[in-house]
Amino acid sequence: MNPYEKKRRWKFFLLIFAIVIGTASVFYSNSFVKKMEREEQLQFQLYVKVTEQTFLMYDDDRYTSMIDLIRSNTKLPVILTDSQGEIISFQGLDSTKTNYNLEKKEGITYDPLYFKKELFRMKKQHAPTPIIGLDGTVWYLYYRDSPTLTQLRYFPYIQLAVIAVFLLTAYVAFSSARKAEQDQVWVGLAKETAHQLGTPISSLMAWVELIKSRFNAEDDPLIAEMENDIKRLEVITDRFSKIGSKPILEDHVVYTAIYNFVQYFKLRTSDKIRFEITGDEQVRAMLNVPLFDWVIENLLKNAANAIDNEGKISINIAENLAKEEVLIDVTDTGSGISRSKFDAVFQPGYTTRKRGWGLGLSLTRRIVENYHSGQIFIKDSEIGKGTTFRIILKSSITYEPTSGAPA
């Protein structure tokens, strides 16, 4: 199992663990809320009984104080109305908005809209309980859940939201710190590699010159290919030395830059693989050619490795004039990539080869996005038929909007 698969499995386990904890928290909170609901229902039933006794024994002073005490200890918001819906009495409402008096004394006001809203909320939450007096008059008692119960209903979801925000913030912070550490490792490794390659490359150049002079091999094609390979090593050394520093981008014809590298690369690849470059030969973009060659090299190597026997690698270059972008599609006729792996292939350490390190496409994305301010992604792929990678670069040619046709 490669490191990426391990990391993905750990993420899956942690996600399941978080879901279990969240579900358990919500379940426990809901059971507690239901218990409180039953208690409040019992409180309301007691309040109903007390109110009924008030109407039945309104002239008996022996029970008045006891009834008032029981009613005053009930914290539920309650409203009593007559059969016409007019408010008779209330309890547990906002004291700053309930300056209500049945005698309508002068100077005493109240907020009728507040009562209307509260009554509407009570009707929406619970069905009214009728109370019938001795003379057959019917009143209706309404109540709603206490503020504490209402808050408890939303508490687990607020708690989960806060935890999720905290975890997301922590994940972003740790990911940023880890990415910064990885960048430092990449830079140090790249520069050390460039430094180590310098000495053997200089030695190889000296040996080639010695062979040419001693064996009079100035025009030997084998010596020419050796020189090409040494130049290639110099280019690779230059690539590594540029990692971690801001590369210099220059205006280049994209077709020419790609064509020159393909001519070098195809001589070192199987003859059974055909190469084809099509599209616009004039589009231009700001490139650092040694680094951009590295991008094309990684894509062509992956394409060649995906082709088992005979096949074809096509590179098409186009331009989106409206967005002033250069589009480069690298298509192979290889084994293809499943859609679930489209993003995974760019992760460091991800590889399907037994001897691969899984760094090529990760470096490719870094070069395209960080150094060329572009994009790279898998445009399309089908198992058994092939894959198309797309690179998007900013065109170095600015097009002025055309005016309307002359009259």
Side-chain angles (χ1 to χ4, degrees), residues 13 26 58 61-62 70 80-81 145 192-193 200 303 345:
F13 287 147
V26 172
Y58 65 92
D61 295 334
R62 292 177 300 172
I70 295 174
L80 176 67
T81 68
D145 299 331
E192 179 62 21
T193 302
V345 296

Side-chain angles (χ1 to χ4, degrees), residues 187-202 233 236-242:
V187 171
L189 180 62
K191 290 188 177 297
E192 179 62 21
T193 302
H195 177 72
Q196 294 293 335
L197 285 174
T199 301
I201 290 175
S202 300
L233 286 173
I236 293 172
T237 303
D238 184 53
R239 289 174 180 172
F240 280 109
S241 66
K242 286 181 168 62

Side-chain angles (χ1 to χ4, degrees), residues 58-165:
Y58 65 92
D59 58 347
D60 192 339
D61 295 334
R62 292 177 300 172
Y63 300 102
T64 302
S65 60
M66 181 181 67
I67 291 174
D68 289 341
L69 178 62
I70 295 174
R71 294 177 66 182
S72 62
N73 285 330
T74 302
K75 303 301 182 183
L76 292 176
V78 179
I79 290 179
L80 176 67
T81 68
D82 59 18
S83 58
Q84 303 300 318
E86 292 293 328
I87 296 175
I88 305 299
S89 65
F90 58 87
Q91 188 163 321
L93 300 182
D94 188 350
S95 59
T96 62
K97 300 179 181 180
T98 55
N99 195 8
Y100 184 86
N101 192 283
L102 294 176
E103 298 180 3
K104 308 294 184 182
K105 292 182 179 179
E106 186 177 353
I108 298 179
T109 60
Y110 71 101
D111 186 355
L113 185 59
Y114 170 73
F115 283 99
K116 185 176 180 180
K117 289 181 178 179
E118 287 296 313
L119 186 58
F120 175 78
R121 290 176 61 187
M122 292 179 183
K123 289 180 179 180
K124 192 174 180 180
Q125 284 190 5
H126 302 285
T129 301
I131 297 176
I132 303 175
L134 293 174
D135 58 354
T137 305
V138 181
W139 294 275
Y140 293 96
L141 266 176
Y142 297 87
Y143 86 103
R144 64 174 173 83
D145 299 331
S146 65
T148 303
L149 179 59
T150 302
Q151 292 172 5
L152 281 175
R153 276 204 178 95
Y154 295 104
F155 175 75
Y157 304 103
I158 296 173
Q159 182 185 31
L160 291 177
V162 171
I163 293 174
V165 171

Side-chain angles (χ1 to χ4, degrees), residues 113-374:
L113 185 59
Y114 170 73
F115 283 99
K116 185 176 180 180
K117 289 181 178 179
E118 287 296 313
L119 186 58
F120 175 78
R121 290 176 61 187
M122 292 179 183
K123 289 180 179 180
K124 192 174 180 180
Q125 284 190 5
H126 302 285
T129 301
I131 297 176
I132 303 175
L134 293 174
D135 58 354
T137 305
V138 181
W139 294 275
Y140 293 96
L141 266 176
Y142 297 87
Y143 86 103
R144 64 174 173 83
D145 299 331
S146 65
T148 303
L149 179 59
T150 302
Q151 292 172 5
L152 281 175
R153 276 204 178 95
Y154 295 104
F155 175 75
Y157 304 103
I158 296 173
Q159 182 185 31
L160 291 177
V162 171
I163 293 174
V165 171
F166 174 77
L167 292 177
L168 180 61
T169 304
Y171 176 79
V172 171
F174 281 117
S175 296
S176 299
R178 185 182 61 184
K179 187 176 183 299
E181 292 177 358
Q182 289 176 347
D183 289 342
Q184 291 297 322
V185 173
W186 279 111
V187 171
L189 180 62
K191 290 188 177 297
E192 179 62 21
T193 302
H195 177 72
Q196 294 293 335
L197 285 174
T199 301
I201 290 175
S202 300
S203 178
L204 287 172
M205 293 173 63
W207 282 113
V208 169
E209 292 299 324
L210 180 61
I211 292 172
K212 288 166 62 177
S213 61
R214 178 169 295 184
F215 298 100
N216 193 23
E218 292 286 344
D219 299 327
D220 194 314
L222 295 178
I223 297 297
E225 286 302 319
M226 290 177 64
E227 288 180 325
N228 286 336
D229 285 335
I230 292 174
K231 290 179 182 178
R232 187 66 188 167
L233 286 173
E234 289 181 314
V235 170
I236 293 172
T237 303
D238 184 53
R239 289 174 180 172
F240 280 109
S241 66
K242 286 181 168 62
I243 296 295
S245 58
K246 187 176 181 180
I248 298 174
L249 303 181
E250 297 176 342
D251 187 15
H252 287 278
V253 177
V254 177
Y255 185 95
T256 302
I258 294 176
Y259 177 83
N260 290 337
F261 177 78
V262 171
Q263 292 300 111
Y264 169 85
F265 183 81
K266 70 181 182 179
L267 295 177
R268 289 153 180 82
T269 311
S270 171
D271 294 337
K272 296 181 179 180
I273 298 178
R274 294 177 292 111
F275 291 84
E276 181 182 54
I277 306 176
T278 59
D280 197 329
E281 299 182 12
Q282 304 300 323
V283 296
R284 308 178 72 91
M286 300 300 292
L287 303 174
N288 181 283
V289 173
L291 291 179
F292 186 70
D293 280 353
W294 203 352
V295 171
I296 301 301
E297 179 181 356
N298 286 329
L299 293 179
L300 294 184
K301 281 184 177 179
N302 277 278
N305 290 330
I307 298 173
D308 292 332
N309 192 10
E310 295 184 359
K312 179 180 177 182
I313 299 175
S314 304
I315 303 175
N316 183 67
I317 304 168
E319 187 172 24
N320 187 330
L321 297 178
K323 296 183 177 181
E324 297 183 353
E325 293 176 341
V326 178
L327 311 178
I328 305 167
D329 290 342
V330 180
T331 304
D332 63 68
T333 57
S335 56
I337 301 171
S338 64
R339 187 164 295 274
S340 62
K341 306 292 185 182
F342 275 18
D343 189 61
V345 296
F346 293 101
Q347 299 291 334
Y350 181 88
T351 180
T352 57
R353 300 169 61 195
K354 293 182 179 180
R355 301 182 63 181
W357 288 93
L359 300 178
L361 289 178
S362 176
L363 280 170
T364 299
R365 171 175 277 184
R366 187 182 294 264
I367 293 170
V368 172
E369 295 182 353
N370 294 359
Y371 296 149
H372 289 84
S373 300

